Amino acid sequence: MLGDTSFDDRAGGDRPDRRALILVENLSVPFDRRVWQECTTLRDAGWEVHVICPRGSKRDTEPEAVIDGVRIHRYPLRAATGGPAGYLREYGSALWHTARLARKVGPVDVVHACNPPDLLFLPALWLKRRGARFVFDQHDLVPELYLSRFGRGKDLLYRGVCALERLTYRTADVVLATNESYRDVAVHRGGRRPEDVFVVRSAPDVDRFHPVPPEPELKRGKPHLLCYLGVMGPQDGVDYALRALAKLRDELGRSDWHAVFVGGGDTFEAMVELSRRLGLSEQVQFTGRIPDADLVRYLSTADVCLSPDPRNPLNDVSTMNKVLEYMVMGRPIVSFDLKEARVSACDAAVYAPANDEAEFAKLITVLLDDPQQRARMGRTGQERIGGPLSWRNSQASLLAAYAAACRDQAPVSADGPDQARRRPHH
């Protein structure tokens, strides 16, 4: 826990009444683990933290909540389905609710917007004109996400999302990048000064993820358990994993495994149907989203974990949360050969040539047959999470970013002399 001394040194703070407002559109909080870690880091450093985010469907459903001292304001939002019109409706509704709740929160010293989408610079700009500093937390490269998810090429909508990204970069006082690849984009494509871009890596919550004794019954009578954890969207490669498992069975003659896929997303039902078409229904189990305790049970029992994200413009430069979560649990990983996957996992993973399902299947076999290698890889992953990839390093970078954003800033307070001008309308 970071005390007031570290806050004074790094975040400008003999003012314990500093207020931060974090804006999130695509996940609820505290379900969004990166955002929640940022919230608690800032809280421990003396900030009063507010969050505006959508409500969850099964959790985080209350419109207002105070959790561990963090004030969370949630709005109803139905995720887009279909084409661009659905996204316009989703984002329009999100922006309206965000602006409404930001007025309710009142004046803040920092507005901290997490993408996607690259539209939250609009409420951030409104708050910036009222004295706030704008921290842009770039979770995804939206132009690359567009190319990877929709396969429409560099069309008019692509040019539009590039323009929104440029406006977001231009409006921000500082940028938080999740890795060095994203930092390079902010500097070279976004035109940001290197000293204004801070790498704040996502890291697994070590209180949430810690191994427990394995439960052989989760293997459904098979010698080995394979595990996938994560979102199931068009760019996440669950289809690659399923086709690799079919090759593992049909071409390599391996049926000594049970596989569990944990998580949900836009393509969940399609992936269940693909599993059925491939004849994998008896060996592949889809759990949907499950409680943390059950997730830890599966990961603690897994012999090999799967990271089947195919190489595309987004995945090659993105840090995958599932890779970090496999590592903290001491699990060996099979991954496609992606730039940032190698940066994160190093020797905690083995790497198939990009998008090569047959080689992916062969590497699963190599690990299933070598328990000593699996154990070495697991230890390597845990050592990296406890060392260079630990959240402690990201905490220091986050507070340094806030210090840079707030340098020479006069405090903004609802109790200040211009309270009437800044009082929120209800």
Side-chain angles (χ1 to χ4, degrees):
M1 180 176 292
L2 295 168
D4 291 339
T5 300
S6 58
F7 168 65
D8 291 344
D9 290 342
R10 287 176 286 176
D14 55 0
R15 305 185 190 103
D17 57 344
R18 287 278 195 172
R19 307 178 87 222
L21 173 60
I22 299 180
L23 308 180
V24 188
E25 192 277 341
N26 65 335
L27 285 176
S28 64
V29 176
F31 179 70
D32 188 320
R33 296 293 177 172
R34 172 185 172 88
V35 171
W36 186 244
Q37 286 175 309
E38 291 173 328
C39 289
T40 55
T41 295
L42 292 167
R43 176 207 63 200
D44 291 347
W47 287 79
E48 178 186 320
V49 182
H50 293 256
V51 180
I52 295 175
C53 66
R55 297 179 196 169
S57 57
K58 295 182 179 179
R59 54 173 293 175
D60 302 339
T61 56
E62 308 87 350
E64 301 277 343
V66 178
I67 302 175
D68 296 340
V70 176
R71 297 162 175 82
I72 305 173
H73 314 263
R74 304 189 184 109
Y75 54 84
L77 186 69
R78 183 162 53 184
T81 55
Y87 284 92
L88 286 174
R89 286 191 296 271
E90 175 189 336
Y91 296 154
S93 173
L95 286 174
W96 185 84
H97 283 294
T98 298
R100 172 180 64 84
L101 291 170
R103 292 171 72 86
K104 179 179 178 181
V105 170
V108 294
D109 297 276
V110 170
V111 55
H112 174 152
C114 307
N115 82 335
D118 286 337
L119 286 168
L120 294 176
F121 79 93
L122 293 169
L125 182 60
W126 177 74
L127 290 164
K128 190 172 178 178
R129 288 172 176 168
R130 284 153 178 79
R133 299 293 172 85
F134 175 25
V135 173
F136 173 39
D137 193 349
Q138 191 165 27
H139 292 191
D140 281 309
L141 300 175
V142 175
E144 283 78 2
L145 176 61
Y146 179 84
L147 291 174
S148 302
R149 186 178 179 93
F150 297 109
R152 297 165 57 106
K154 296 183 178 181
D155 60 2
L156 180 62
L157 283 172
Y158 171 80
R159 294 193 293 274
V161 297
C162 288
L164 291 173
E165 182 189 68
R166 286 194 299 272
L167 288 168
T168 302
Y169 280 136
R170 189 177 304 166
T171 306
D173 292 290
V174 300
V175 176
L176 307 184
T178 57
N179 59 38
E180 292 292 343
S181 295
Y182 278 34
R183 185 177 188 274
D184 288 345
V185 171
V187 171
H188 296 111
R189 187 165 81 197
R192 298 308 311 236
R193 300 186 308 165
E195 58 266 33
D196 291 334
V197 185
F198 297 79
V199 175
V200 178
R201 287 184 168 275
S202 297
D205 182 350
V206 295
D207 293 327
R208 178 191 182 208
F209 287 97
H210 50 83
V212 298
E215 300 180 30
E217 60 270 22
L218 296 179
K219 299 182 180 185
R220 300 281 183 92
K222 301 289 187 177
H224 302 294
L225 179 66
L226 312 176
C227 188
Y228 171 91
L229 161 65
V231 176
M232 298 184 190
Q235 72 276 11
D236 294 305
V238 175
D239 53 333
Y240 284 79
L242 291 171
R243 289 190 293 267
L245 293 181
K247 292 178 184 296
L248 180 65
R249 180 197 60 194
D250 299 336
E251 297 178 14
L252 300 176
R254 297 294 293 258
S255 59
D256 57 344
W257 52 269
H258 177 67
V260 60
F261 284 71
V262 178
D266 295 350
T267 63
F268 178 86
E269 296 297 337
M271 293 302 99
V272 173
E273 174 59 21
L274 176 60
S275 176
R276 187 193 64 78
R277 291 202 312 271
L278 292 170
L280 293 170
S281 298
E282 294 300 314
Q283 279 189 267
V284 174
Q285 172 188 0
F286 290 85
T287 68
R289 293 191 175 98
I290 59 177
D292 286 354
D294 292 331
L295 169 59
V296 167
R297 291 169 57 228
Y298 280 114
L299 289 178
S300 297
T301 306
D303 297 285
V304 175
C305 285
L306 310 179
S307 184
D309 307 85
R311 180 181 289 166
N312 58 39
L314 179 69
N315 289 347
D316 198 39
V317 295
S318 296
T319 300
M320 304 301 173
N321 285 334
K322 60 177 162 286
V323 169
L324 304 175
E325 290 162 353
Y326 298 155
M327 290 166 66
V328 76
M329 293 293 292
R331 301 298 95 188
I333 304 160
V334 178
S335 172
F336 287 125
D337 194 358
L338 307 179
K339 176 183 176 182
E340 285 294 335
R342 281 192 178 271
V343 170
S344 295
C346 289
D347 294 334
V350 290
Y351 302 93
N355 307 355
D356 188 331
E357 297 157 359
E359 287 300 316
F360 196 95
K362 289 178 184 177
L363 288 178
I364 294 174
T365 293
V366 168
L367 292 185
L368 291 182
D369 290 339
D370 193 341
Q372 287 77 25
Q373 183 180 0
R374 297 201 307 265
R376 286 195 302 270
M377 292 168 65
R379 288 193 297 271
T380 296
Q382 289 180 317
E383 289 166 2
R384 288 185 57 74
I385 293 296
L389 302 182
S390 75
W391 179 245
R392 292 188 304 275
N393 297 328
S394 292
Q395 285 179 313
S397 188
L398 174 65
L399 295 181
Y402 265 62
C406 296
R407 192 171 291 120
D408 303 322
Q409 180 193 30
V412 177
S413 173
D415 299 322
D418 60 350
Q419 176 186 5
R421 178 174 67 84
R422 293 198 175 101
R423 183 178 296 121
H425 298 279
H426 297 287

